[in-house]
Coordinates of all heavy atoms in Angstrom, one line a residue:
M1 N 0.8 -1.2 0.0 CA 0.0 0.0 0.0 C 0.9 1.2 0.0 O 1.8 1.3 0.8 CB -0.9 0.0 1.2 CG -1.8 1.2 1.4 SD -3.0 1.1 2.7 CE -2.0 0.5 4.1
K2 N 0.6 2.2 -0.9 CA 1.3 3.4 -1.0 C 0.4 4.6 -0.6 O -0.8 4.6 -1.0 CB 1.8 3.7 -2.4 CG 2.7 2.6 -2.9 CD 4.1 2.7 -2.3 CE 5.0 1.7 -2.9 NZ 5.7 0.8 -1.8
V3 N 0.8 5.4 0.3 CA 0.0 6.5 0.8 C 0.7 7.9 0.4 O 1.9 8.0 0.6 CB -0.1 6.5 2.3 CG1 -0.9 7.7 2.8 CG2 -0.8 5.2 2.7
T4 N -0.1 8.7 -0.2 CA 0.5 10.1 -0.5 C -0.5 11.1 0.0 O -1.7 10.8 0.1 CB 0.6 10.3 -2.0 OG1 -0.6 10.1 -2.7 CG2 1.7 9.4 -2.6
V5 N 0.0 12.2 0.3 CA -0.8 13.4 0.8 C -0.5 14.6 0.0 O 0.7 14.9 -0.2 CB -0.5 13.7 2.3 CG1 -1.3 14.9 2.7 CG2 -0.9 12.5 3.2
D6 N -1.5 15.2 -0.6 CA -1.3 16.4 -1.4 C -1.1 17.5 -0.4 O -2.0 18.1 0.1 CB -2.6 16.6 -2.2 CG -2.4 17.8 -3.2 OD1 -1.4 18.6 -3.0 OD2 -3.2 18.0 -4.1
T7 N 0.2 17.9 -0.3 CA 0.5 18.9 0.7 C 0.1 20.3 0.3 O 0.1 21.2 1.1 CB 2.0 18.9 1.1 OG1 2.8 19.0 -0.2 CG2 2.4 17.6 1.8
A8 N -0.3 20.4 -1.0 CA -0.8 21.7 -1.5 C -2.1 22.0 -0.9 O -2.5 23.2 -0.8 CB -0.8 21.7 -3.0
V9 N -2.9 21.0 -0.6 CA -4.2 21.2 -0.1 C -4.4 20.8 1.4 O -5.3 21.3 2.1 CB -5.3 20.5 -0.9 CG1 -5.4 21.0 -2.3 CG2 -5.1 19.0 -0.9
C10 N -3.5 20.0 1.9 CA -3.5 19.6 3.3 C -3.4 20.9 4.2 O -2.5 21.7 4.0 CB -2.4 18.6 3.7 SG -2.2 18.3 5.4
A11 N -4.3 21.0 5.1 CA -4.3 22.2 6.0 C -3.9 21.8 7.4 O -4.2 22.6 8.3 CB -5.7 22.8 6.0
D12 N -3.3 20.7 7.6 CA -2.8 20.2 8.9 C -3.9 20.3 10.0 O -3.7 20.7 11.1 CB -1.6 21.1 9.3 CG -0.5 21.0 8.3 OD1 -0.1 19.9 7.9 OD2 0.0 22.1 7.9
H13 N -5.1 19.8 9.6 CA -6.2 19.7 10.6 C -5.9 18.6 11.6 O -6.3 18.8 12.8 CB -7.5 19.4 9.9 CG -8.0 20.4 8.9 ND1 -7.8 20.2 7.5 CD2 -8.7 21.5 9.1 CE1 -8.3 21.3 6.9 NE2 -8.9 22.1 7.8
G14 N -5.4 17.5 11.1 CA -5.0 16.4 12.0 C -6.1 15.3 12.2 O -5.9 14.4 12.9
Q15 N -7.2 15.4 11.5 CA -8.2 14.4 11.6 C -7.6 13.0 11.2 O -8.0 12.0 11.8 CB -9.4 14.6 10.7 CG -10.4 15.6 11.3 CD -10.1 17.0 10.9 OE1 -8.9 17.4 10.6 NE2 -11.1 17.9 10.8
C16 N -6.8 13.0 10.2 CA -6.2 11.7 9.8 C -5.4 11.1 10.9 O -5.3 9.8 11.0 CB -5.3 11.9 8.6 SG -4.0 13.2 8.8
I17 N -4.8 11.9 11.8 CA -4.0 11.3 12.9 C -4.8 10.6 13.9 O -4.4 9.5 14.4 CB -3.2 12.5 13.6 CG1 -2.3 13.1 12.6 CG2 -2.4 12.0 14.8 CD1 -1.6 14.4 13.1
F18 N -6.1 11.0 14.1 CA -7.0 10.3 15.0 C -7.4 9.0 14.4 O -7.5 8.0 15.1 CB -8.2 11.2 15.3 CG -8.0 12.3 16.2 CD1 -8.0 13.6 15.7 CD2 -7.7 12.2 17.5 CE1 -7.7 14.7 16.5 CE2 -7.5 13.3 18.4 CZ -7.5 14.5 17.8
S19 N -7.5 8.9 13.1 CA -8.0 7.7 12.5 C -6.8 6.7 12.3 O -7.0 5.5 12.4 CB -8.5 8.0 11.1 OG -9.7 8.7 11.2
A20 N -5.6 7.2 12.0 CA -4.5 6.3 11.8 C -3.2 6.8 12.4 O -2.3 7.3 11.7 CB -4.3 6.1 10.3
P21 N -3.1 6.8 13.7 CA -2.0 7.4 14.4 C -0.7 6.6 14.1 O 0.4 7.2 14.3 CB -2.3 7.3 15.9 CG -3.4 6.3 16.0 CD -4.1 6.3 14.7
Q22 N -0.8 5.4 13.6 CA 0.4 4.6 13.3 C 1.1 5.1 12.0 O 2.2 4.8 11.7 CB 0.1 3.1 13.1 CG -0.6 2.5 14.3 CD -2.1 2.5 14.1 OE1 -2.7 3.4 13.4 NE2 -2.8 1.5 14.6
V23 N 0.3 5.9 11.2 CA 0.7 6.3 9.8 C 0.9 7.8 9.8 O 1.9 8.2 9.1 CB -0.3 5.8 8.8 CG1 0.1 6.3 7.4 CG2 -0.5 4.3 8.8
F24 N 0.1 8.6 10.4 CA 0.2 10.0 10.3 C 0.5 10.6 11.7 O 0.0 10.2 12.7 CB -1.2 10.6 9.9 CG -1.7 10.1 8.6 CD1 -2.6 9.0 8.5 CD2 -1.3 10.6 7.4 CE1 -3.1 8.5 7.3 CE2 -1.7 10.1 6.2 CZ -2.6 9.0 6.1
E25 N 1.3 11.7 11.6 CA 1.6 12.4 12.8 C 2.1 13.8 12.5 O 2.4 14.1 11.3 CB 2.7 11.7 13.7 CG 4.1 11.6 13.0 CD 5.1 11.0 13.9 OE1 4.8 10.8 15.1 OE2 6.2 10.7 13.4
F26 N 2.1 14.7 13.4 CA 2.6 16.0 13.2 C 4.1 16.0 13.6 O 4.5 15.5 14.6 CB 1.9 17.1 14.1 CG 0.6 17.4 13.6 CD1 -0.5 17.5 14.4 CD2 0.4 17.7 12.2 CE1 -1.8 17.9 13.9 CE2 -0.9 18.1 11.7 CZ -1.9 18.1 12.6
A27 N 4.9 16.7 12.7 CA 6.3 16.9 13.0 C 6.4 18.0 14.0 O 5.4 18.7 14.3 CB 7.1 17.2 11.7
E28 N 7.6 18.2 14.5 CA 7.8 19.3 15.5 C 7.4 20.7 15.0 O 7.1 21.6 15.8 CB 9.3 19.3 16.0 CG 9.6 18.2 16.9 CD 11.0 18.2 17.5 OE1 11.6 19.3 17.3 OE2 11.4 17.3 18.1
D29 N 7.5 20.9 13.7 CA 7.1 22.2 13.1 C 5.6 22.3 12.9 O 5.2 23.3 12.3 CB 7.9 22.4 11.8 CG 7.6 21.4 10.7 OD1 6.7 20.5 10.9 OD2 8.1 21.6 9.6
G30 N 4.9 21.3 13.3 CA 3.4 21.3 13.1 C 2.9 20.8 11.8 O 1.7 20.9 11.5
K31 N 3.8 20.4 10.9 CA 3.4 19.9 9.6 C 3.1 18.4 9.7 O 3.8 17.7 10.4 CB 4.5 20.2 8.5 CG 4.6 21.7 8.2 CD 3.4 22.2 7.5 CE 3.6 23.7 7.1 NZ 2.3 24.2 6.6
L32 N 2.2 18.0 8.8 CA 1.9 16.6 8.8 C 3.0 15.8 8.1 O 3.6 16.2 7.1 CB 0.6 16.4 8.0 CG 0.1 14.9 7.9 CD1 -0.5 14.5 9.3 CD2 -0.9 14.7 6.8
V33 N 3.4 14.7 8.7 CA 4.3 13.7 8.1 C 3.6 12.4 8.2 O 2.7 12.1 9.0 CB 5.7 13.6 8.8 CG1 6.4 14.9 8.6 CG2 5.5 13.3 10.3
W34 N 4.0 11.4 7.3 CA 3.3 10.2 7.2 C 4.3 9.1 6.7 O 5.3 9.4 6.1 CB 2.1 10.3 6.3 CG 2.4 10.5 4.9 CD1 2.5 9.6 3.9 CD2 2.6 11.8 4.2 NE1 2.8 10.2 2.7 CE2 2.9 11.5 2.9 CE3 2.6 13.1 4.7 CZ2 3.1 12.6 2.0 CZ3 2.9 14.1 3.8 CH2 3.1 13.8 2.4
E35 N 3.9 7.8 7.0 CA 4.6 6.7 6.5 C 4.1 6.4 5.1 O 2.9 6.1 4.9 CB 4.3 5.5 7.4 CG 4.7 4.2 6.9 CD 6.1 4.1 6.5 OE1 7.0 4.4 7.3 OE2 6.4 3.7 5.3
P36 N 5.0 6.5 4.1 CA 4.5 6.3 2.7 C 4.2 4.9 2.3 O 3.4 4.7 1.3 CB 5.6 6.9 1.9 CG 6.8 6.8 2.7 CD 6.4 6.9 4.1
S37 N 4.7 3.9 3.0 CA 4.4 2.5 2.7 C 4.0 1.7 3.9 O 4.7 0.8 4.4 CB 5.7 1.9 2.1 OG 6.1 2.6 0.9
P38 N 2.8 2.1 4.5 CA 2.4 1.4 5.7 C 2.1 -0.1 5.4 O 1.8 -0.5 4.3 CB 1.2 2.2 6.1 CG 0.7 2.8 4.9 CD 1.9 3.1 4.0
D39 N 2.1 -0.9 6.5 CA 1.8 -2.3 6.4 C 0.3 -2.5 6.0 O -0.5 -1.7 6.3 CB 2.0 -2.9 7.8 CG 1.9 -4.4 7.7 OD1 2.9 -5.1 7.4 OD2 0.8 -5.0 7.9
E40 N 0.1 -3.5 5.2 CA -1.2 -3.8 4.7 C -2.3 -3.9 5.8 O -3.4 -3.6 5.7 CB -1.2 -5.1 3.9 CG -2.4 -5.4 3.1 CD -2.8 -4.3 2.1 OE1 -1.9 -3.7 1.6 OE2 -4.0 -4.2 1.9
S41 N -1.8 -4.3 7.0 CA -2.8 -4.5 8.2 C -3.4 -3.2 8.6 O -4.4 -3.1 9.3 CB -2.0 -5.1 9.3 OG -1.0 -4.3 9.8
L42 N -2.8 -2.1 8.1 CA -3.3 -0.7 8.5 C -4.2 -0.1 7.5 O -4.7 1.0 7.6 CB -2.1 0.2 8.7 CG -1.1 -0.2 9.9 CD1 0.1 0.7 9.8 CD2 -1.8 0.0 11.2
R43 N -4.6 -0.9 6.5 CA -5.4 -0.4 5.3 C -6.7 0.2 5.8 O -7.1 1.3 5.4 CB -5.6 -1.5 4.3 CG -6.5 -0.9 3.1 CD -6.7 -2.0 2.0 NE -5.4 -2.3 1.3 CZ -5.0 -1.6 0.2 NH1 -5.7 -0.6 -0.2 NH2 -3.9 -1.9 -0.4
A44 N -7.4 -0.5 6.7 CA -8.7 0.0 7.1 C -8.6 1.4 7.8 O -9.4 2.3 7.5 CB -9.4 -1.0 8.1
S45 N -7.6 1.6 8.6 CA -7.5 2.8 9.3 C -7.0 3.9 8.4 O -7.4 5.1 8.5 CB -6.5 2.7 10.5 OG -5.3 2.2 10.2
V46 N -6.2 3.6 7.4 CA -5.7 4.6 6.4 C -6.9 5.0 5.5 O -7.1 6.2 5.2 CB -4.6 4.0 5.6 CG1 -4.2 5.0 4.4 CG2 -3.3 3.8 6.4
E47 N -7.8 4.0 5.2 CA -8.9 4.4 4.4 C -9.9 5.3 5.2 O -10.5 6.2 4.6 CB -9.7 3.1 3.9 CG -8.9 2.3 2.8 CD -9.6 1.1 2.4 OE1 -10.5 0.6 3.1 OE2 -9.3 0.5 1.3
E48 N -10.0 5.0 6.5 CA -10.8 5.9 7.3 C -10.2 7.3 7.4 O -10.9 8.3 7.3 CB -10.9 5.3 8.7 CG -11.8 6.2 9.6 CD -11.9 5.6 11.0 OE1 -12.1 4.4 11.2 OE2 -11.7 6.4 12.0
A49 N -8.9 7.4 7.5 CA -8.2 8.7 7.5 C -8.5 9.4 6.2 O -8.8 10.6 6.2 CB -6.7 8.5 7.7
A50 N -8.5 8.7 5.1 CA -8.7 9.4 3.8 C -10.2 9.9 3.7 O -10.5 10.9 3.2 CB -8.5 8.4 2.6
D51 N -11.1 9.1 4.3 CA -12.5 9.5 4.3 C -12.8 10.7 5.2 O -13.6 11.5 4.8 CB -13.4 8.3 4.9 CG -13.6 7.2 3.8 OD1 -13.3 7.5 2.6 OD2 -14.0 6.1 4.2
V52 N -12.1 10.8 6.3 CA -12.4 11.9 7.2 C -11.6 13.2 6.9 O -12.0 14.3 7.4 CB -12.1 11.5 8.7 CG1 -13.0 10.4 9.1 CG2 -10.7 11.3 9.0
C53 N -10.6 13.1 6.0 CA -9.9 14.3 5.6 C -10.8 15.3 5.0 O -11.4 15.0 4.0 CB -8.7 13.9 4.7 SG -7.9 15.4 4.1
P54 N -10.9 16.5 5.6 CA -11.9 17.5 5.1 C -11.6 18.0 3.7 O -12.5 18.5 3.0 CB -11.9 18.6 6.1 CG -10.6 18.4 6.8 CD -10.2 17.0 6.8
V55 N -10.4 17.9 3.3 CA -10.0 18.4 1.9 C -9.6 17.2 1.0 O -9.1 17.5 -0.1 CB -8.9 19.4 2.0 CG1 -9.3 20.6 2.7 CG2 -7.6 18.8 2.7
Q56 N -9.9 16.0 1.4 CA -9.6 14.8 0.5 C -8.2 14.8 0.0 O -8.0 14.6 -1.2 CB -10.6 14.8 -0.6 CG -12.1 14.6 -0.1 CD -12.3 13.3 0.5 OE1 -12.3 12.3 -0.1 NE2 -12.5 13.3 1.9
A57 N -7.2 15.0 0.9 CA -5.8 15.2 0.4 C -5.1 13.8 0.4 O -4.0 13.8 -0.2 CB -5.1 16.1 1.4
I58 N -5.7 12.8 1.0 CA -5.0 11.5 1.1 C -5.4 10.6 -0.1 O -6.5 10.4 -0.3 CB -5.4 10.8 2.4 CG1 -4.9 11.8 3.6 CG2 -4.7 9.5 2.6 CD1 -5.4 11.3 5.0
R59 N -4.3 10.0 -0.7 CA -4.5 9.1 -1.8 C -3.9 7.8 -1.4 O -2.8 7.7 -0.9 CB -3.9 9.6 -3.1 CG -4.6 10.8 -3.6 CD -5.8 10.5 -4.4 NE -6.5 11.6 -4.9 CZ -7.5 12.3 -4.1 NH1 -7.8 11.9 -2.9 NH2 -8.1 13.3 -4.6
I60 N -4.6 6.7 -1.7 CA -4.1 5.3 -1.4 C -3.9 4.6 -2.8 O -4.9 4.6 -3.5 CB -5.1 4.6 -0.5 CG1 -5.3 5.3 0.8 CG2 -4.5 3.2 -0.2 CD1 -6.5 4.8 1.6
A61 N -2.7 4.1 -3.0 CA -2.5 3.3 -4.2 C -2.1 1.9 -3.8 O -1.6 1.6 -2.8 CB -1.4 3.9 -5.0
D62 N -2.5 0.9 -4.7 CA -2.2 -0.5 -4.5 C -3.1 -1.1 -3.5 O -2.9 -0.9 -2.3 CB -0.7 -0.8 -4.1 CG 0.2 -0.3 -5.2 OD1 -0.3 0.0 -6.3 OD2 1.4 -0.3 -5.0
Ligands
SF4_1 S1 -6.9 15.3 7.7 FE1 -6.3 15.9 5.7 S2 -6.0 18.1 5.8 FE2 -5.9 17.3 7.9 S3 -3.8 16.8 8.3 FE3 -4.7 15.0 7.5 S4 -4.3 15.0 5.3 FE4 -4.0 17.1 6.1

């Protein structure tokens, strides 16, 4: 599974972090960082994160 975030539209709301804290987190500068190749076992939580993102910035491939 490949995860990308369109940082041009991501507004660092953080909803994705609540859904998938193993994949998304805020860096010390307050910007979102993420694991680009999370384990397949995390797919459901990553899909939930993509669903709750208010700007639909999260894309899942594979
Ligand atoms: S929920 Fe969407 S806009 Fe908010 S931090 Fe996550 S990817 Fe960015």
Side-chain angles (χ1 to χ4, degrees):
M1 176 174 46
K2 301 285 183 232
V3 177
T4 58
V5 177
D6 184 347
T7 54
V9 297
C10 171
D12 301 312
H13 298 97
Q15 280 93 329
C16 55
I17 297 171
F18 288 107
S19 295
Q22 307 95 328
V23 177
F24 302 96
E25 65 178 349
F26 282 135
E28 285 185 8
D29 65 0
K31 291 293 184 186
L32 184 74
V33 291
W34 67 94
E35 164 56 53
S37 301
D39 190 84
E40 188 61 31
S41 64
L42 297 171
R43 179 176 291 272
S45 58
V46 174
E47 287 180 345
E48 181 182 312
D51 283 345
V52 299
C53 175
V55 294
Q56 300 294 292
I58 299 171
R59 292 281 175 271
I60 303 167
D62 299 348

